[in-house]
Amino acid sequence: MGKIKAKIKAEKLWMNGKLIDWHDPKAYTHVISYTLHYGIGVFEGLRAYETHDGNSIIFRLEDHIKRFFESAKMEDLNIPFFKSDICNACIEVVKANKLTSGYIRPLSFIGESKMGLGHNKNDTKTTIMAWPWDSYLGDEGLKNGIRLKTSSWTKCRNMAMTKSKSVSNYGLSNRTKMEAIKAGYDEALLLDDNGLVAEASAENIFFVKDGKIITPPPSAPILIGITRNSIIDIATWEEYEIIERNFTREELYTADEVFLTGTAAELAPVREIDTQIIGNGKPGPTTLNLQKKFFNILRGKNGFYKDWLTHIY
Ligand code: PMP
């Protein structure tokens, strides 16, 4: 292997129905593989959490795997397993790596059957990896808020399948993230082809104004985040008024609070956008309340949401 050392390592991964060692030759793929050249493939991102009573759970396992299969359907890929096989395999991988918490990454990609555009939908390899992973935008970001920059790139309708977690979508996400980081920010905000707010490079966005919580509607070019949907449910139960509607970035500049949601990022307050300070520059009461409620659910402290948790051990 080259001089750049792999930063992510685990003991085992799941490949096409079997647990294998992380460095097993079967875990490597040939350079002629279709996905490497043309970016057609789909993946998921889930998290396992250690609960307050010493157990471990996977958050919304079945919902993530349902989306995994729907992404594959949209990209015309055949995953030759049942959803229940993939759910069980996620649990197996966490166990095999002796994790109590961490990130889980199912991926389905296309192998070596052909070159030239137009893939063979049955030439798929499906793998599941898991490793320990801290909150994506950092503990400091979770506590004090992150800085967001509007990207010079646009998230256009009908140029990508935004409802699918397709490998190819992450070319744009990566480009916007790099641009934001190089400019000294933490994360990128993407506008759609009408100049309306869509989502961050790997998170959905919400803002709070005059006691109401607003987020773009499902018809916006966004991934329908499982964390997004969870926060909408929690906020509804908490009797906040939630509105799904389009908005411009000026509305974010004058918002009382802004926050991002995603499996990797969890629920991260936003303290600044494009040099504009949001609210008083600190996470606001609604954000902190929802963050606390959400983290309590993830740690099994709220029995009301136990259907969202799958026990691992
Ligand atoms: N939008 C994009 C583009 C993403 O990659 C993600 C992360 N999966 C999200 C939103 C948030 O989705 P979820 O809450 O399901 O992780």
Side-chain angles (χ1 to χ4, degrees):
M1 287 200 294
K3 284 192 182 138
I4 300 177
K5 284 248 161 58
K7 281 210 175 132
I8 293 179
K9 259 197 240 153
E11 282 180 37
K12 302 270 181 196
L13 57 84
W14 186 93
M15 176 65 90
N16 299 321
K18 286 198 181 75
L19 277 178
I20 59 173
D21 287 339
W22 188 260
H23 285 300
D24 187 309
K26 288 194 207 73
Y28 293 84
T29 188
H30 198 278
V31 287
I32 200 71
S33 292
Y34 193 94
T35 302
L36 279 178
H37 296 255
Y38 304 126
I40 303 301
V42 294
F43 68 96
E44 259 309 317
L46 307 85
R47 268 191 190 275
Y49 288 92
E50 189 167 351
T51 55
H52 73 111
D53 53 2
N55 288 313
S56 288
I57 58 95
I58 299 177
F59 185 63
R60 301 196 74 165
L61 172 61
E62 285 177 11
D63 295 312
H64 277 279
I65 300 311
K66 181 168 177 254
R67 187 172 67 184
F68 186 46
F69 277 75
E70 285 175 355
S71 294
K73 167 83 167 60
M74 283 183 256
E75 284 289 9
D76 204 7
L77 294 175
N78 180 25
I79 300 176
F81 293 95
F82 294 115
K83 290 190 194 92
S84 56
D85 295 332
I86 302 295
C87 287
N88 290 336
C90 287
I91 296 172
E92 248 188 276
V93 174
V94 175
K95 279 185 178 163
N97 288 291
K98 302 176 196 78
L99 294 172
T100 51
S101 64
Y103 186 81
I104 307 162
R105 168 57 56 84
L107 167 74
S108 196
F109 63 100
I110 310 185
E112 305 154 29
S113 59
K114 81 183 276 281
M115 263 294 114
L117 291 176
H119 65 271
N120 174 352
K121 69 182 277 176
N122 293 316
D123 179 24
T124 55
K125 295 185 182 166
T126 302
T127 176
I128 305 171
M129 298 151 271
W131 64 89
W133 215 16
D134 292 340
S135 192
Y136 178 61
L137 296 170
D139 287 344
E140 165 68 20
L142 278 189
K143 197 163 152 229
N144 295 321
I146 62 121
R147 296 175 65 240
L148 190 62
K149 184 179 189 313
T150 303
S151 181
S152 65
W153 300 94
T154 304
K155 190 135 207 180
C156 295
R157 284 177 179 76
N158 271 330
M159 285 199 49
M161 274 192 274
T162 59
K163 301 293 177 272
S164 159
K165 252 184 106 64
S166 293
V167 171
S168 56
N169 289 348
Y170 289 85
L172 176 65
S173 285
N174 188 65
R175 203 169 299 131
T176 63
K177 176 85 176 181
M178 293 289 281
E179 183 187 60
I181 286 174
K182 284 185 183 171
Y185 286 78
D186 302 299
E187 185 52 292
L189 173 68
L190 284 97
L191 305 182
D192 73 9
D193 32 341
N194 292 318
L196 300 167
V197 171
E199 61 182 345
S201 78
E203 299 86 22
N204 294 111
I205 188 162
F206 291 75
F207 76 94
V208 183
K209 181 76 177 178
D210 300 330
K212 298 184 176 67
I213 305 174
I214 298 136
T215 195
S219 58
I222 59 170
L223 184 74
I224 307 299
I226 289 169
T227 321
R228 169 195 185 275
N229 289 352
S230 306
I231 294 302
I232 291 176
D233 284 357
I234 297 165
T236 306
W237 271 102
E238 293 293 315
E239 298 192 350
Y240 288 103
E241 187 179 347
I242 281 259
I243 302 167
E244 292 175 272
R245 67 161 173 85
N246 288 305
F247 53 88
T248 62
R249 71 167 137 155
E250 293 94 305
E251 282 195 83
L252 292 177
Y253 294 165
T254 55
D256 299 326
E257 304 175 35
V258 177
F259 61 89
L260 303 180
T261 63
T263 299
E266 303 173 310
L267 194 160
V270 176
R271 63 182 162 90
E272 191 185 316
I273 306 178
D274 304 335
T275 75
Q276 300 258 357
I277 302 297
I278 304 304
N280 64 3
K282 295 196 169 73
T286 304
T287 306
L288 289 175
N289 184 33
L290 289 173
Q291 195 187 51
K292 190 170 159 213
K293 296 262 149 56
F294 182 53
F295 285 179
N296 279 343
I297 292 168
L298 297 174
R299 287 180 176 86
K301 288 187 188 164
N302 186 338
F304 189 70
Y305 295 93
K306 64 177 184 322
D307 289 355
W308 286 353
L309 315 181
T310 301
H311 282 82
I312 299 170
Y313 293 102

